[in-house]
């Protein structure tokens, strides 16, 4: 009887620990999501009514595929949008093709910094008024690429906020360069292959 009681007690502790860990993960995810969305001025009440948390979608998308598979499949769509925008920006700035990739370029020319600004604003990831990353657009693009993976969206928004805090200038081209450096580091760390 005593052994049965110990096993039962141990089983309850294990279940309780598992529930606490799962609750902690849910709380962390919700906090990250709320932080991202609140960064754009949305209230917690609006968050609660507009989004429901589905644990199955934290690491898998609607299609049931792993997040990295979805990224590899959906990234070309975003890359095409970037390439088309870059072409328009190069024409606008009267730059000649081919232009080197600037995503990880540590010392771009002043014109190249303005090309980055034009591209980031052209794809609406950089806000024209604040010269910071537009968290709503980061959320949209991350959702598109990851098939609405909530964890990836929260992580993307959190990283965007880190990049926004690194901006030390109000000059648009220089701010774009600083954002570009920050974005490039995060893309490289997460092995996401985008270029502009």
């Amino acid at each position: 009887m005593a052994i049965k009681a110990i096993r039962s007690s141990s089983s309850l502790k294990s279940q309780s620990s598992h529930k606490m860990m799962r609750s902690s993960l849910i709380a962390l995810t919700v906090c990250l999501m709320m932080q991202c969305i609140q960064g754009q001025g949305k209230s917690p009440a609006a968050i609660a009514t507009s989004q429901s948390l589905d644990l199955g979608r934290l690491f898998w998308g609607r299609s049931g595929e792993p997040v990295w598979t979805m990224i590899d499949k959906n990234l070309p769509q975003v890359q095409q949008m970037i390439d088309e925008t870059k072409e328009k920006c190069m024409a606008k700035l009267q730059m000649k093709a081919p232009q080197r990739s600037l995503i990880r370029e540590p010392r771009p020319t002043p014109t190249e910094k303005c090309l980055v600004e034009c591209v980031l604003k052209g794809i609406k990831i950089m806000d024209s008024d604040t010269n910071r990353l537009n968290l709503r657009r980061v959320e949209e693009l991350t959702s598109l690429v990851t098939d609405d993976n909530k964890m990836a969206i929260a992580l993307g928004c959190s990283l965007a906020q880190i990049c926004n805090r690194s901006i030390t200038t109000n000059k648009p081209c220089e701010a774009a360069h600083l954002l570009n450096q920050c974005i490039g580091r995060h893309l490289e760390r997460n092995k996401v292959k985008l270029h502009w």
Side-chain angles (χ1 to χ4, degrees):
M1 286 295 256
I3 293 175
K4 208 176 208 183
I6 292 171
R7 282 187 186 156
S8 177
S9 172
S10 175
S11 176
L12 286 174
K13 285 181 185 176
S14 175
Q15 287 175 354
S16 175
S17 174
H18 181 33
K19 285 181 183 178
M20 280 181 28
M21 190 166 68
R22 188 171 55 180
S23 296
S24 296
L25 178 61
I26 291 170
L28 173 65
T29 303
V30 170
C31 286
L32 284 172
M33 288 170 49
M34 291 172 84
Q35 179 184 11
C36 175
I37 295 170
Q38 284 175 338
Q40 292 293 303
K42 198 169 183 180
S43 72
I47 294 166
T49 58
S50 69
Q51 293 186 351
S52 60
L53 182 64
D54 178 359
L55 278 178
R57 291 172 68 191
L58 287 178
F59 301 102
W60 304 84
R62 289 184 296 247
S63 64
E65 294 178 284
V67 72
W68 294 113
T69 302
M70 292 180 291
I71 288 173
D72 289 342
K73 186 176 12 172
N74 297 331
L75 209 54
Q77 184 179 351
V78 174
Q79 185 62 61
Q80 181 180 357
M81 176 181 55
I82 291 168
D83 292 343
E84 289 169 0
T85 303
K86 185 176 179 178
E87 263 185 55
K88 291 175 189 173
C89 289
M90 287 177 63
K92 180 180 173 182
L93 296 170
Q94 300 176 348
M95 296 177 76
K96 295 180 181 166
Q99 173 64 40
R100 64 185 171 162
S101 176
L102 298 173
I103 185 68
R104 291 177 190 88
E105 179 55 46
R107 292 180 193 85
T109 66
T111 305
E112 288 173 331
K113 288 179 182 181
C114 290
L115 174 60
V116 170
E117 177 207 7
C118 183
V119 171
L120 294 180
K121 287 182 177 178
I123 62 174
K124 297 179 177 72
I125 202 163
M126 183 177 176
D127 185 87
S128 295
D129 297 329
T130 64
N131 293 321
R132 302 293 189 271
L133 292 175
N134 177 337
L135 298 181
R136 181 72 58 215
R137 183 65 172 155
V138 169
E139 185 180 334
E140 289 170 6
L141 290 175
T142 306
S143 177
L144 171 74
V145 171
T146 65
D147 196 25
D148 200 31
N149 180 286
K150 300 300 184 195
M151 184 66 85
I153 292 167
L155 178 62
C157 289
S158 180
L159 294 175
Q161 288 177 335
I162 291 169
C163 290
N164 281 344
R165 286 191 292 272
S166 73
I167 304 306
T168 57
T169 182
N170 289 326
K171 297 176 183 173
C173 296
E174 190 61 32
H177 168 64
L178 294 172
L179 288 172
N180 186 47
Q181 294 300 299
C182 186
I183 293 167
R185 283 190 302 274
H186 291 303
L187 291 178
E188 189 171 26
R189 283 182 195 140
N190 291 293
K191 296 177 176 53
V192 177
K193 293 178 174 86
L194 277 177
H195 60 87
W196 49 76

